[in-house]
Amino acid sequence: SAVISQKPSRDICQRGTSLTIQCQVDSQVTMMFWYRQQPGQSLTLIATANQGSEATYESGFVIDKFPISRPNLTFSTLTVSNMSPEDSSIYLCSVGTGGAYNEQFFGPGTRLTVL
Amino acid sequence: KNQVEQSPQSLIILEGKNCTLQCNYTVSPFSNLRWYKQDTGRGPVSLTIMTFSENTKSNGRYTATLDADTKQSSLHITASQLSDSASYICVVSGQGAAGNKLTFGGGTRVLVKP
């Protein structure tokens, strides 16, 4: 299994500002993903973070709003830009380990509140 | 459209009792089905993963079943403990390039009372 840490664990931000969330993994992984979990909802995939190239975004999510960096195989960042109260969610990083089950492990999440 | 439906949405059980959560899916082609436990304010933690050829798998007091023919799965919690209070999420993975795309159920929120 992979050990994943996220920073910050939580933050309260003012609307119109931006927040960058960091995800660090204790081993090199091929696949890294960013998810959003709105209050009382299940997880929604935002994008796949690709090492050395632009992230692959899911329908409804755009790079201008959620820019992602993946400089190496153990680290990624997600920025939530020009925030509004609707962006208040938990943001989770996950990693795919491949193998027979192609398992995904999730980070602890970043709880974001936008006022 | 790939979908995962879970029932019930929530349930309350007394400590020491058993309970069963249900999951129906329409994901195709199917690769595997996972059950995750998510404590409040934490990321999901994997409990079990099953491919189409596995019809039961246990992890301590958690036992998952899978019927790939009817596209149904269940998660049985035996002798529940207060620490079992959490959301339980059924997640299905497709095959090939879609294997990294997970379809999430809405979760079942379990509350164990003393």
Side-chain angles (χ1 to χ4, degrees), chain A residues 31 33 35 37 40-45 48 58 90 92 96 100-109 111, chain B residues 32 34 36 38 40-44 46 49-51 54 57 89 93 99-102 104-107 109:
Chain A
M31 309 297 293
F33 308 92
Y35 288 85
Q37 187 174 28
Q41 304 294 313
S42 195
L43 283 73
T44 300
L45 180 64
T48 301
E58 297 300 304
I90 298 174
L92 298 117
Y101 291 106
N102 199 20
E103 187 161 6
Q104 281 194 27
F105 296 95
F106 289 85
R111 182 180 292 273
Chain B
N32 59 65
R34 314 132 187 246
Y36 286 90
Q38 185 176 25
T40 301
R42 308 294 295 272
S46 179
I49 300 179
M50 291 180 292
T51 65
E54 299 171 293
K57 186 168 278 191
I89 307 172
S93 172
N100 292 312
K101 292 276 185 75
L102 306 181
F104 288 79
R109 188 178 299 274

Side-chain angles (χ1 to χ4, degrees), chain B residues 60-98:
Chain B
R61 293 179 296 100
Y62 301 102
T63 299
T65 66
L66 173 65
D67 185 334
D69 292 331
T70 62
K71 299 185 178 180
Q72 296 180 323
S73 176
S74 66
L75 180 69
H76 187 76
I77 305 175
T78 303
S80 60
Q81 299 177 359
L82 298 179
S83 60
D84 293 330
S85 296
S87 287
Y88 293 85
I89 307 172
C90 176
V91 184
V92 179
S93 172
Q95 289 184 4

Side-chain angles (χ1 to χ4, degrees), chain A residues 32-88:
Chain A
M32 292 183 77
F33 308 92
W34 285 99
Y35 288 85
R36 180 175 72 182
Q37 187 174 28
Q38 294 177 302
Q41 304 294 313
S42 195
L43 283 73
T44 300
L45 180 64
I46 297 172
T48 301
N50 300 309
Q51 196 263 329
S53 64
E54 192 173 285
T56 304
Y57 289 84
E58 297 300 304
S59 176
F61 298 96
V62 295
I63 188 172
D64 290 345
K65 177 67 176 177
F66 297 102
I68 289 171
S69 77
R70 176 94 190 269
N72 56 52
L73 294 177
T74 64
F75 185 79
S76 178
T77 67
L78 168 75
T79 300
V80 186
S81 303
N82 188 25
M83 288 184 286
S84 66
E86 292 71 36
D87 294 321
S88 297

